[in-house]
């Protein structure tokens, strides 16, 4: 378990070395793994073409590194603990040996369905151990997993299945989340009506709710595993073969399938996990993210398993049966490392300190935050009441596209600073630029955050459309990866992420393109045009504010709002539900027809005193009408 930085001095040395000799640096990190064949060359890259290749010619299987490699030393150690939704239901613990056996078993099921190396497999499942098992089973046989968060609607699921041409879906009958049982399979059924290529659906029994099984297409997980054994050799994969596709929202168009490859992702996720969290033998690590997001891929599944830790898979929600659930789970399993999102912290803060009283929280050593900027108030509450002032907080900045954490403190090793992600990890070269792409040198500057040199888990492509990958990430500023985030480097050289500078909003740590929400709203028959912006929200970080022009046909605003909300639910899912919908008669547009979002953002924020110059608008009067309507909407 070494291979960890242990002092601030060591960090500085390692950082320096990683910039001077990146290839030597990463070759050494990669040498700690099991390779079937060593790489011929560490790195090839060309940002103009949006290309990065790592450990070229290397052959491996990531599951041998997550599982087989540990069997001799920690086969009987618990790899994963599943904590169910119901507080009184029994947890499930899987040792490395057991997880290995279940992964091989399900890998054989996938093979029996004809799934081959390179095929894409859709996983649409709740937080059950079988999701982790299915994910690793794909990697075992060289299939590419694409997990779709089970909160997405049938139409969002169908879009993803079709975009990456998936022919098999693994799902469950239903799921439990808090007091609710949700039908999952029926959403898959609805989606597949529009996915003619899907030939197989494997259904895990979780809720026992009656299912319509389509003959020749749908089979039960438990029937399938009964037919196969648990021996499955790991497929030999190329370092640059795809490992997974994960869809994420951008500022334009439909969500993109971010593609990561095996070797570089493995090396970076393992290195960043060990160093950021500083786990040790016997650590009990809990990341509360859903496996359907990148955090659940990198730091609930791959990172912890690569390093031989014990990782918790939690099925429930923070507020069920009551708002002490997180703290109860921490005490129950003696969690040492706890990684969650600012939105969860802010929402639990709202319940005061009473829910904490029954719990000691004395097993905790390290706290983490991810997904959005953590405001100072939430940082201090987390630090004082959960960490009791003794646990370093790692505020980890990264993205689906970066694969792993790029800017963060190393727990207990490098300094922390409330609301700052602080310093780049070794191997990461951030650069701040102005809107023309000029480097902002020195400290005490603010600009757009780019990365000027590749790291091993950088995005390889957007599935099926490499041009879009180049356009989105590598063309805004020449020879740099553009993150889409604004960032400040303070007088001491610490980085503070300021939020998105593009038309992406971050609602409870979930990324959403305003264009995506608008296009869902526009599906309502009466909607003529819409404009969506984010606005500050006490718990969610950002809320969704939609300005909508409708042909009302006698309907009231209230009715229209309800109907529009239902349409968004249907097209994307509940996570994209607008918090405010204001029906307007016009939108502020320039003479060339561009919506002035800057003005709408200010109105949504409630900052109407200073809307800037509106004289260039086609119809300046529309602004007054929107402002008046907004004052009413904001009070509601
Ligand atoms: C891991 C994840 C990425 C976007 C990113 C930022 C925001 C994430 C932080 C953060 C401030 C953080 N992937 N973001 N972490 N902002 N501080 N520690 O969230 O692809 O879903 O989102 O999230 O804007 O660009 S993501």
């Amino acid at each position: 378990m070494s291979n960890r930085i242990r002092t601030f001095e060591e960090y500085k040395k390692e950082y320096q070395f990683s910039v001077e000799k990146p290839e030597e640096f990463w070759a050494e990190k990669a040498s700690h793994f099991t390779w079937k064949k060593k790489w011929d060359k560490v790195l090839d890259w060309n940002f103009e073409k949006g290309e990065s290749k790592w450990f070229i010619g290397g052959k491996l299987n990531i599951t041998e590194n997550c599982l087989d490699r540990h069997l001799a030393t920690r086969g009987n150690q618990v790899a994963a603990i599943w904590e169910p939704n119901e507080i009184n239901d029994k947890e499930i613990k899987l040792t490395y040996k057991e997880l290995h056996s279940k992964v091989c078993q399900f890998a054989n099921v996938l093979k029996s369905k004809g799934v081959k190396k390179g095929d894409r497999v859709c996983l649409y499942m709740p937080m059950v151990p079988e999701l982790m098992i299915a994910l690793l089973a794909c990697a075992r046989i060289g299939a590419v997993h694409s997990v779709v968060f089970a909160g997405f609607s049938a139409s969002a699921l169908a879009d993803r299945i079709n975009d990456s041409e998936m022919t098999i879906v693994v799902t469950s009958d239903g799921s439990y989340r808090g007091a609710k049982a949700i039908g999952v399979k029926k959403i898959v059924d609805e989606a597949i009506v529009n996915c003619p290529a899907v030939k197989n659906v494997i259904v895990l029994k979780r809720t026992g709710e009656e299912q319509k099984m389509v003959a020749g297409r749908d089979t039960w997980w438990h029937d399938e595993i009964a037919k196969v054994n648990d021996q499955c050799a790991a497929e030999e994969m190329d370092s640059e073969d795809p490992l997974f596709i994960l869809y994420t929202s951008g500022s334009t168009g439909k969500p993109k399938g971010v593609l990561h490859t095996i070797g570089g992702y493995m090396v970076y996720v393992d290195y960043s996990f060990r160093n950021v969290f500083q786990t040790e033998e016997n650590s009990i690590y809990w990341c509360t993210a859903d496996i359907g997001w990148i955090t659940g891929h990198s730091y609930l599944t791959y990172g912890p398993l690569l390093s031989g830790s014990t990782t918790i898979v939690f099925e429930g929600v923070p507020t069920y049966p009551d708002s002490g659930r997180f703290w109860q789970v921490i005490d129950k399993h003696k969690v040492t490392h706890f990684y969650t999102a600012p939105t969860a912290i802010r929402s639990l803060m709202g319940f005061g300190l009473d829910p904490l009283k029954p719990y000691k929280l004395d097993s905790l050593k390290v706290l983490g935050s991810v997904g959005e900027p953590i405001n100072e108030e939430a940082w201090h509450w987390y630090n004082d009441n959960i960490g009791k002032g003794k646990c370093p907080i790692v505020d980890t900045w990264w993205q689906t596209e970066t694969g792993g954490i790029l800017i963060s403190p190393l727990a207990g090793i490098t300094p922390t600073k409330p609301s700052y992600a602080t310093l780049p990890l070794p191997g990461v070269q951030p650069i701040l630029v102005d809107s023309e792409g000029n480097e902002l040198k020195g400290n005490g500057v603010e600009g757009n955050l780019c990365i000027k040199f590749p790291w091993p888990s950088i995005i390889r492509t957007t599935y099926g459309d490499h041009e879009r990958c180049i356009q989105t990430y590598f063309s805004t500023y020449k020879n740099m990866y553009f993150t889409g985030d604004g960032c400040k480097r303070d007088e001491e050289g610490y980085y503070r992420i300021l939020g998105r500078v593009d038309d992406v909003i971050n609602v409870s740590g979930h990324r959403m393109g305003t264009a995506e929400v608008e296009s869902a709203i526009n599906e309502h028959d009466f909607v003529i045009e819409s404009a969506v912006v984010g606005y500050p929200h006490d718990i969610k970080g950002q809320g969704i504010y939609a300005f909508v022009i409708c042909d009302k046909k006698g309907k009231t605003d209230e009715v229209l709002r309800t109907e529009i909300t239902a349409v968004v639910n249907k097209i994307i899912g509940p996570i994209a539900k607008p918090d405010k919908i204001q029906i307007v008669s016009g939108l502020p547009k320039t003479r060339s027809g561009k919506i002035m979002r800057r003005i709408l953002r200010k109105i949504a924020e409630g900052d109407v005193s200073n809307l800037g110059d509106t004289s260039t608008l086609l119809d300046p009067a529309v602004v007054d009408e929107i402002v008046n309507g907004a004052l009413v909407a904001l009070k509601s």
Side-chain angles (χ1 to χ4, degrees):
M1 290 275 270
S2 67
N3 191 15
R4 278 205 282 138
I5 295 166
R6 291 179 189 273
T7 63
F8 195 18
E9 281 315 306
E10 246 176 72
Y11 161 80
K12 290 180 201 160
K13 258 202 230 144
E14 189 146 328
Y15 188 84
Q16 189 65 29
F17 182 74
S18 78
V19 173
E20 283 164 8
K21 299 194 162 141
E23 300 194 28
E24 261 179 62
F25 174 77
W26 286 115
E28 193 280 323
K29 302 305 165 203
S31 71
H32 298 271
F33 294 88
T34 302
W35 295 82
K36 290 178 189 280
K37 176 185 165 282
K38 201 186 160 184
W39 56 90
D40 306 312
K41 190 163 185 247
V42 176
L43 170 67
D44 242 340
W45 66 295
N46 179 336
F47 273 179
E48 260 171 76
K49 295 186 185 160
E51 278 175 13
S52 312
K53 294 193 179 106
W54 284 89
F55 310 112
I56 299 150
K59 304 284 178 193
L60 77 162
N61 187 293
I62 195 169
T63 70
E64 280 191 333
N65 286 283
C66 287
L67 301 169
D68 307 59
R69 180 169 62 128
H70 301 312
L71 295 183
T73 48
R74 49 171 71 87
N76 295 319
Q77 182 200 307
V78 175
I81 303 174
W82 179 63
E83 174 63 31
N85 182 55
E86 290 298 328
I87 199 164
N88 292 319
D89 284 357
K90 184 136 180 62
E91 76 274 0
I92 293 175
K93 293 186 176 173
L94 295 174
T95 64
Y96 272 91
K97 232 197 230 150
E98 289 163 337
L99 184 59
H100 177 265
S101 145
K102 286 179 185 293
V103 166
C104 290
Q105 190 184 41
F106 197 69
N108 285 332
V109 170
L110 292 173
K111 275 189 182 168
S112 76
K113 297 286 165 191
V115 178
K116 294 182 304 294
K117 188 176 192 163
D119 290 350
R120 278 82 48 213
V121 176
C122 178
L123 308 178
Y124 186 75
M125 298 174 87
M127 286 288 280
V128 287
E130 287 81 0
L131 172 51
M132 184 181 271
I133 291 165
L135 183 132
L136 294 166
C138 290
R140 188 76 177 175
I141 64 170
V144 181
H145 54 78
S146 185
V147 184
V148 177
F149 172 61
F152 279 117
S153 70
S155 104
L157 173 60
D159 282 349
R160 288 159 174 76
I161 290 176
N162 289 332
D163 184 77
S164 47
E165 306 156 291
M166 300 192 260
T167 56
I168 177 164
V169 181
V170 185
T171 188
S172 69
D173 52 356
S175 74
Y176 293 119
R177 272 177 76 70
K180 287 184 287 199
I182 303 161
V184 178
K185 165 70 159 51
K186 67 170 196 261
I187 299 173
V188 172
D189 287 339
E190 200 186 323
I192 291 182
V193 172
N194 299 311
C195 307
V198 172
K199 296 288 177 286
N200 288 288
V201 178
I202 301 176
V203 188
L204 176 82
K205 189 168 269 180
R206 171 66 188 110
T207 58
E209 180 202 2
E210 182 112 16
Q211 297 299 315
K212 271 197 239 102
M213 300 292 276
V214 176
R217 190 195 75 182
D218 304 352
T219 53
W220 289 102
W221 176 293
H222 55 265
D223 290 337
E224 293 294 349
I225 59 171
K227 293 187 226 158
V228 296
N229 67 26
D230 67 352
Q231 309 289 309
C232 178
E235 187 77 28
E236 180 170 302
M237 303 300 291
D238 191 274
S239 177
E240 280 297 331
D241 278 336
L243 176 62
F244 65 86
I245 298 166
L246 187 60
Y247 284 83
T248 195
S249 299
S251 50
T252 54
K254 288 201 167 169
K256 307 176 279 280
V258 172
L259 186 136
H260 285 286
T261 57
I262 302 167
Y265 177 81
M266 173 182 80
V267 171
Y268 193 81
V269 163
D270 175 76
Y271 176 75
S272 54
F273 178 78
R274 289 167 193 269
N275 281 290
V276 168
F277 294 102
Q278 297 281 321
T279 49
E280 291 165 347
E281 296 288 339
N282 305 325
S283 288
I284 306 285
Y285 169 90
W286 182 20
C287 165
T288 68
D290 192 286
I291 295 178
W293 308 113
I294 189 69
T295 308
H297 283 56
S298 302
Y299 299 112
L300 191 157
T301 306
Y302 286 113
L305 296 177
L306 284 165
S307 80
S309 303
T310 300
T311 182
I312 295 184
V313 179
F314 177 50
E315 184 183 37
V317 296
T319 49
Y320 179 79
D322 59 52
S323 55
R325 183 65 158 131
F326 273 2
W327 325 129
Q328 180 263 338
V329 173
I330 289 172
D331 274 13
K332 176 179 175 189
H333 295 295
K334 307 224 167 350
V335 171
T336 53
H337 293 68
F338 180 65
Y339 190 30
T340 196
T343 187
I345 299 166
R346 286 191 300 264
S347 115
L348 294 172
M349 254 168 81
F351 292 91
L353 296 177
D354 281 351
L356 285 164
K357 288 202 177 123
Y359 307 108
K360 291 214 204 57
L361 303 178
D362 57 352
S363 54
L364 287 173
K365 291 189 173 146
V366 173
L367 300 177
S369 170
V370 62
E372 38 170 333
I374 179 165
N375 48 309
E376 289 204 33
E377 194 194 354
W379 195 98
H380 285 293
W381 189 88
Y382 198 29
N383 184 58
D384 299 349
N385 300 300
I386 308 305
K388 320 274 188 203
K390 291 183 309 209
C391 303
I393 296 178
V394 290
D395 177 355
T396 63
W397 174 84
W398 58 298
Q399 310 177 297
T400 306
E401 296 86 343
T402 69
I405 297 165
L406 297 194
I407 306 182
S408 170
L410 310 183
I413 308 292
T414 66
T416 62
K417 184 167 181 168
S419 79
Y420 279 73
T422 71
L423 298 172
L425 265 64
V428 175
Q429 302 187 34
I431 172 169
L432 300 183
V433 298
D434 66 17
S435 49
E436 270 77 59
N438 303 310
E439 175 167 7
L440 302 166
K441 295 203 174 112
N443 289 338
V445 289
E446 208 177 293
N448 297 326
L449 176 61
C450 296
I451 316 285
K452 63 179 178 193
F453 194 85
W455 61 99
S457 62
I458 186 174
I459 180 174
R460 296 307 196 269
T461 193
T462 46
Y463 188 84
D465 190 355
H466 190 65
E467 199 47 44
R468 189 166 179 207
C469 175
I470 298 175
Q471 276 304 320
T472 313
Y473 307 107
F474 299 99
S475 65
T476 316
Y477 304 111
K478 204 170 152 57
N479 277 318
M480 292 176 214
Y481 166 84
F482 176 45
T483 67
D485 280 318
C487 182
K488 161 180 166 176
R489 185 167 53 226
D490 74 1
E491 297 300 340
E492 297 171 284
Y494 293 127
Y495 290 85
R496 177 183 193 169
I497 309 300
L498 301 170
R500 302 290 303 198
V501 294
D502 53 11
D503 288 323
V504 170
I505 48 184
N506 193 327
V507 183
S508 300
H510 300 149
R511 262 170 78 170
M512 216 100 55
T514 54
E516 204 186 333
V517 183
E518 286 161 8
S519 105
I521 291 173
N522 298 349
E523 291 289 311
H524 187 292
D525 282 346
F526 293 8
V527 171
I528 295 164
E529 197 178 8
S530 61
V532 165
V533 296
Y535 71 98
H537 187 287
D538 283 349
I539 290 171
K540 300 180 183 184
Q542 279 189 299
I544 302 179
Y545 197 127
F547 299 89
V548 186
I549 309 176
C550 288
D551 177 2
K552 296 194 193 177
K553 300 189 182 143
K555 289 198 183 182
T556 64
D557 287 9
E558 200 45 52
V559 167
L560 286 166
R561 277 197 281 266
T562 311
E563 289 181 3
I564 289 168
T565 304
V567 171
V568 174
N569 260 325
K570 188 161 163 11
I571 297 196
I572 306 176
I575 55 171
K577 180 177 142 325
D579 298 272
K580 308 264 182 207
I581 299 175
Q582 185 183 343
I583 311 291
V584 296
S585 67
L587 291 166
K589 289 195 180 172
T590 61
R591 277 167 216 282
S592 61
K594 267 189 82 153
I595 297 173
M596 298 275 280
R597 285 167 189 283
R598 179 180 54 78
I599 293 177
L600 293 176
R601 272 188 222 112
K602 289 226 161 196
I603 296 174
E605 273 171 36
D607 177 14
V608 295
S609 57
N610 171 28
L611 292 176
D613 184 13
T614 56
S615 63
T616 57
L617 291 178
L618 204 56
D619 176 14
V622 82
V623 175
D624 295 328
E625 181 221 292
I626 299 177
V627 167
N628 292 331
L631 293 175
V632 178
L634 282 170
K635 274 192 216 124
S636 67

